[in-house]
Amino acid sequence: VAPGVNIYSDWNGTSTDNYYHWDMRLDHDFGAKWHSFLRMSHWSENQVPLSDYNNAASQGYAGPAHITEWSGTFNNTFTFSPTLLGELRYGVSRQAYNRTTFGQPFDLASLGFNAAYVSTAAKDGLIFPNFNLSQGFSGIGSNGYNSYYENPMAHDVTGSLVKIVGAHSVKVGGEFRKLFENFTQFGHPSGSFNIDQSWTQDVATGGVTDSTGNAFASMLLGLPASGAMTHDPYATDASAYIAVFGQDDWKVTKKLTLNLGLRWDVEIPRTDRFNQLSYWNPNLPSPLAGAVAASACPACGSLMGAMEFVGVPGAKYGRSQGPIQKKDFGPRVGFAYNATHSLVFRGGYGIVYAPSALQAAGTDGSPGIEGFSSQTQFTSSFTNQQSAPSACTTCATLDNPAPTGFNLP
């Protein structure tokens, strides 16, 4: 088959997404002054995207996924007196999202990979490796970041009291949240290989623009041009949030009502069960200070800034990446003025703080876990493929992609 010739027809298939969802609510009066309700919700979903090759070598950035969600609320309202009311609420939510790769777990040994390679890949996930071929050949194997697991959970407790005193309706209360996040997404846990014609072309120095050679033939010989295996961490984080608030709705006149309030937010930054967190400390001496000759870098002798890991002796914030955030005071001021029986003016001003960036939440990227993920690079040649593979004992082949070992975190 000539390079670049398409011998495959278009693929047709189906993607399925089946789910069910239910909600329930139960209301109950424990007495004339105590009303409660219990609400529960559940979601279950199964997704199966199109498998282009209909086997473990399918490409794409998705795979079969199962998602379950549970949430519940227990709410209580109390009438202590005609001028004193109370509310106490507890809520909880939990999700489990588990996405695998087609054909997982896959037997890597069946492709000829050695035992050390298989055991290292098994730490994150045994899937069909990714092979990217040049010259227009279709690749095989997952394009990466398929295998995915997330399990967030949140608890919330809120309580408040409302006291009516003359023209004032005063509300005070507090809130506590506890957040958990378990997350991981594997890039190429069983490796990714780039294969071109450079090992099989007629002129070794011709580069990949040479018209001879065949990428598929290079793959059959087990000679990739390059490759890598990712080693990804698991996030097992927890954080907390506390708030207290007060507000006075003051009916100044029959036409004017003022709303005066203040909320204090306290953010307790995340910790990780296994202390897999790090941060940049600009006040530490740089490990590069003095490592470069002064003639080459006059300023390098006094470089500052270094990565710091949580949970180690002397860590500035202990097991966290930052201090407790306790200076977030948010005032609220509002008014309502009834100018006429058909015209009302309303306005307000408030300061509201965004959730802390150090909460146990969010899955975009990997800030804060530097030092706990790595890659093992597969180098097939140090001479631009001009020396025989057998002449390089430290070069990668498909039967031994990492002859010098793996670069684990």
Side-chain angles (χ1 to χ4, degrees), residues 62-86:
H66 178 62
I67 306 106
T68 57
E69 298 175 3
W70 291 90
S71 64
T73 300
F74 183 46
N75 192 84
N76 299 270
T77 55
F78 308 93
T79 304
F80 299 108
S81 72
T83 60
L84 182 61
L85 307 174

Side-chain angles (χ1 to χ4, degrees), residues 1-8 11 52-53 59 130-141 143 193-198 200 208 210-220:
V1 178
V5 175
N6 180 17
I7 63 172
Y8 301 104
W11 282 93
D52 47 9
Y53 298 161
Q59 293 191 295
N130 174 244
F131 295 93
N132 296 305
L133 280 73
S134 65
Q135 297 180 297
F137 288 107
S138 297
I140 54 176
N143 284 320
F193 299 90
N194 300 309
I195 303 174
D196 59 30
Q197 73 272 29
S198 56
T200 54
V208 294
D210 186 88
S211 59
T212 63
N214 189 286
F216 201 81
S218 297
M219 184 179 73
L220 294 178

Side-chain angles (χ1 to χ4, degrees), residues 2-17:
V5 175
N6 180 17
I7 63 172
Y8 301 104
S9 60
D10 293 335
W11 282 93
N12 295 305
T14 60
S15 295
T16 61
D17 189 343

Side-chain angles (χ1 to χ4, degrees), residues 152-204:
M153 187 174 187
H155 298 271
D156 183 272
V157 179
T158 304
S160 63
L161 289 171
V162 177
K163 177 65 177 178
I164 301 173
V165 182
H168 296 268
S169 177
V170 180
K171 182 176 183 178
V172 295
E175 182 178 6
F176 173 76
R177 300 176 199 160
K178 186 69 175 181
L179 305 178
F180 298 91
E181 174 71 308
N182 295 281
F183 171 81
T184 191
Q185 185 172 16
F186 301 117
H188 292 285
S190 292
S192 176
F193 299 90
N194 300 309
I195 303 174
D196 59 30
Q197 73 272 29
S198 56
W199 278 116
T200 54
Q201 63 191 10
D202 183 49
V203 181

